[in-house]
Amino acid sequence: METLDFSWKDGRRAGVFLHVSSLPSKFGIGNIGSSADGFLEFCSKAGFSYWQICPLGPTGYGDSPYQSFSAFAGNPYFIDPESFASAKLASDMELLPLRALSDARCDFGALYSIFPKLVKKVSERYFALSESDREIAGQKLSAAGNFEHFCVTNAKWLDSYALFSALKNKFEGNPWWLWPRPFKNYAEAKKAKLDFETENDVKCAQFAQWIFFGQYEIFRRKARKAGVEIFGDIPIFLAHDSAEAWSRPEILDLDKSGTPKNVAGVGPDYFCEDGQLWGNPLYDWEGAKSAVYDFWRERVASALKMYDMIRFDHFRGFADYWAIPYKLGDARKGVWKKGPGIEFFRYLKKKFPDGRFVAEDLGILSEEACKLRDSTGMPSMAVLQFAFGGDSKNSHLPHNLSRNCVYYTGTHDNTTSKDWYANASEVERDRFRRYFRVSGECANWDMIHAAIMSVARVAVITMQDILSCGGDCRMNTPGKADGNWQWRMTNQQLNLAVRENAPYLRSINSLADRLIPPATSGENNVEK
């Protein structure tokens, strides 16, 4: 198999993993506005040059960022509501319901009942302003330039997403395949006459995206100034109930009614003994190859405008993927099908020669998946929490690591390292203590030190491990449908981390030769 050169030329780095939703804020969920300022200060003082986040798309049932309503849109919940007040389009009184939400958890149910209504009010007030007043307010709301120009520039994805969002409101949140005709078909829906309320909702959805991307541009500028690059994530699959599945069904393996023939997931593995039924429709890699490749080109181009580095989630799916018959609904009854393989990455390399990508290769890999990963030259992943099961040949142990690797204490799918050690078997704890010559009393810090001192090109530490959090602070439990993605860091915890943890982290990042300023700003990761 041929070898592509997706390897990096950068030196050793360190990063921290914290999703935007977990940032401290006054409004019930972290945001990309002032909420991020304190964390960027922490990253800079601690010597972290990467900030890894989960996907930023709008979420639905289950609140998972890996099941988004759009592959291109931003989550309106991540807008900083303070901009509404500074633009004089919302009063302090109208922000009170958000301020009353928990500062330690994301209450997505409460956010759903409050945030969209507030955005709609702000949108209506904005469009009711005179042209000159709109220009003044727009400067407070968004750095994305003129609203109309933003809509035209992003029409390829924004038109379908805004209509999808508006129709979802109209039809009480039901998935698109349950909408009445002509709306369940995008080609027909975009020609249909809309009532005033739905037209207003279309404009409101466009307005929210304009604000999100304008605020995100300011967020990126602040990150660059702090010497921090954003490490993003692309979920391999689309949600069935998404704007893209609705507007571009030809790229997916659906029947004429829009029902998937097979859905995505994984077979039984160490994350879940019964496997995982994700339910995402699969790409029609063979029947619609050109359309699927074109979609991925757009998707990666969009992501590279937002992130300096990208992780391809579930990398194995590009080599071979688990196809579960939709009607069976049992992850154990899937079959392996062949993915697009090296040809797909040859295509991406041609389009994005300077793109920096990471292969998420966790789980049980086939020989073909290993060959594909190695042939791309992309850094792979390893996780310290997986290192002490098995024997001395365990690929997650520090002495077995490749240099071309991103090494994690844990990921968003793991419990915290403190909780891992507390609940590990005595055999695993014994191996851990003997391997690192430690008592295990501060297992999370032993793991942080080990990851940073490892040979891996990049070491990434979860913020929960830095804060010595227990298992109640884990982000996601694979196979569990609800109660995930809720943890948030408080301002008190962040201030303590800046004051007490950052100096030590910087000292060991320096000792491990990881204090290298970013070599790129992301501006070279453009499509050719």
Side-chain angles (χ1 to χ4, degrees):
M1 186 177 284
E2 69 179 283
T3 301
L4 301 176
D5 187 15
F6 272 114
S7 61
W8 307 347
K9 306 301 184 289
D10 302 343
R12 288 164 59 80
R13 307 274 189 96
V16 61
F17 198 148
L18 182 80
H19 192 34
V20 170
S21 63
S22 296
L23 288 167
S25 84
K26 306 171 185 175
F27 304 107
I29 190 170
N31 64 61
I32 53 177
S34 57
S35 175
D37 293 350
F39 190 68
L40 286 170
E41 178 189 4
F42 166 77
C43 290
S44 181
K45 288 186 174 181
F48 290 125
S49 51
Y50 289 134
W51 174 1
Q52 184 170 353
I53 58 178
C54 294
L56 294 174
T59 58
Y61 175 76
D63 312 307
S64 171
Y66 295 88
Q67 294 285 354
S68 175
F69 288 136
S70 172
F72 299 94
N75 192 335
Y77 291 167
F78 296 156
I79 292 170
D80 187 351
E82 287 185 343
S83 65
F84 300 158
S86 65
K88 299 183 179 179
L89 294 172
S91 67
D92 288 339
M93 184 70 68
E94 289 173 313
L95 300 184
L96 281 179
L98 288 174
R99 294 183 189 275
L101 298 179
S102 169
D103 65 353
R105 291 278 171 183
C106 292
D107 185 341
F108 287 101
L111 287 165
Y112 179 76
S113 68
I114 299 169
F115 212 97
K117 293 176 183 177
L118 176 62
V119 173
K120 189 170 183 178
K121 283 182 182 178
V122 172
S123 171
E124 290 171 346
R125 289 167 184 168
Y126 173 81
F127 290 113
L129 294 173
S130 67
E131 185 175 343
S132 59
D133 286 343
R134 274 204 305 274
E135 184 176 350
I136 294 170
Q139 292 172 358
K140 301 283 187 180
L141 291 170
S142 174
N146 175 271
F147 169 76
E148 287 76 14
H149 178 72
F150 172 83
C151 291
V152 170
T153 303
N154 294 280
K156 183 72 182 285
W157 64 267
L158 183 58
D159 288 356
S160 57
Y161 169 72
L163 182 55
F164 174 87
S165 298
L167 292 174
K168 201 158 186 62
N169 288 339
K170 179 179 177 66
F171 300 120
E172 300 178 337
N174 280 310
W176 61 265
W177 56 91
L178 296 181
W179 298 348
R181 288 195 175 279
F183 301 109
K184 66 168 57 179
N185 180 285
Y186 175 62
E188 296 178 32
K190 64 183 180 179
K191 298 175 185 176
K193 183 173 177 57
L194 303 177
D195 57 74
F196 175 80
E197 189 69 18
T198 305
E199 285 186 341
N200 194 31
D201 283 346
V202 169
K203 186 168 277 193
C204 178
Q206 293 170 324
F207 176 79
Q209 292 305 304
W210 173 59
I211 297 176
F212 173 89
F213 281 99
Q215 292 193 359
Y216 191 82
E217 175 56 33
I218 295 174
F219 164 72
R220 287 292 304 282
R221 291 175 197 166
K222 289 179 179 178
R224 292 186 192 112
K225 187 175 181 180
V228 177
E229 295 188 299
I230 306 302
F231 185 176
D233 203 348
I234 296 184
I236 183 172
F237 298 115
L238 299 173
H240 188 197
D241 191 18
S242 68
E244 287 73 38
W246 174 62
S247 63
R248 302 171 78 162
E250 69 278 2
I251 68 174
L252 301 171
D253 189 19
L254 307 175
D255 65 21
K256 291 182 180 179
S257 70
T259 301
K261 298 173 186 175
N262 296 283
V263 293
V266 291
D269 63 12
Y270 50 56
F271 278 119
C272 188
E273 63 182 13
D274 292 325
Q276 299 176 47
L277 178 64
W278 299 336
N280 307 72
L282 300 171
Y283 297 105
D284 188 3
W285 288 111
E286 294 184 7
K289 175 180 169 182
S290 177
V292 177
Y293 274 43
D294 192 50
F295 164 76
W296 270 97
R297 177 187 58 77
E298 294 171 24
R299 195 179 192 193
V300 173
S302 175
L304 285 173
K305 289 178 181 177
M306 299 183 71
Y307 312 128
D308 300 286
M309 181 166 72
I310 294 172
R311 187 188 86 139
F312 282 111
D313 184 50
H314 193 56
F315 182 84
R316 176 175 183 169
F318 295 108
D320 43 34
Y321 55 90
W322 193 243
I324 304 163
Y326 178 75
K327 293 181 181 179
L328 295 182
D330 186 340
R332 297 169 298 180
K333 297 181 179 179
V335 296
W336 290 109
K337 292 193 175 185
K338 190 175 181 180
I342 192 65
E343 180 187 37
F344 174 72
F345 289 99
R346 191 186 305 127
Y347 172 83
L348 290 185
K349 182 64 178 177
K350 182 178 179 180
K351 298 295 182 181
F352 309 102
D354 299 319
R356 288 184 290 161
F357 305 114
V358 171
E360 187 276 288
D361 60 339
L362 303 179
I364 300 170
L365 296 187
S366 64
E367 184 178 348
E368 283 301 310
C370 291
K371 286 181 179 178
L372 178 61
R373 176 201 60 203
D374 294 343
S375 69
T376 65
M378 289 184 195
S380 60
M381 287 177 57
V383 180
L384 247 173
Q385 288 187 26
F386 298 153
F388 298 96
D391 57 23
S392 62
K393 292 183 174 58
N394 186 311
S395 63
H396 299 274
L397 281 165
H399 68 262
N400 290 324
L401 293 182
S402 160
R403 290 184 182 275
N404 193 32
C405 168
V406 183
Y407 202 24
Y408 294 80
T409 51
T411 74
H412 60 274
D413 283 331
N414 293 96
T415 189
T416 66
S417 291
K418 182 177 180 179
D419 187 59
W420 169 82
Y421 182 80
N423 290 285
S425 68
E426 184 50 44
V427 170
E428 289 177 302
R429 288 199 294 265
D430 177 64
R431 287 174 177 162
F432 176 88
R433 291 190 296 264
R434 288 191 292 119
Y435 193 93
F436 294 124
R437 299 183 68 190
V438 295
S439 68
E441 292 180 9
C442 298
N444 57 305
W445 280 101
D446 295 331
M447 294 172 83
I448 290 170
H449 186 273
I452 291 175
M453 293 300 169
S454 74
V455 300
R457 169 90 39 99
V458 179
V460 176
I461 316 300
T462 66
M463 194 62 197
Q464 291 98 316
D465 285 348
I466 292 169
L467 296 174
S468 300
C469 294
D472 59 324
C473 298
R474 76 178 292 165
M475 200 63 171
N476 180 52
T477 303
K480 184 171 176 283
D482 54 16
N484 295 313
W485 311 107
Q486 295 180 3
W487 177 77
R488 291 178 62 211
M489 173 173 55
T490 64
N491 265 312
Q492 183 178 10
Q493 288 175 314
L494 177 57
N495 291 336
L496 188 66
V498 170
R499 187 171 63 251
E500 297 188 3
N501 300 134
Y504 172 70
L505 287 165
R506 188 173 188 85
S507 73
I508 60 174
N509 277 325
S510 176
L511 187 61
D513 192 27
R514 296 191 184 275
L515 292 185
I516 299 175
T520 67
S521 64
E523 294 172 356
N524 294 325
N525 293 333
V526 295
E527 181 183 351
K528 300 298 182 183

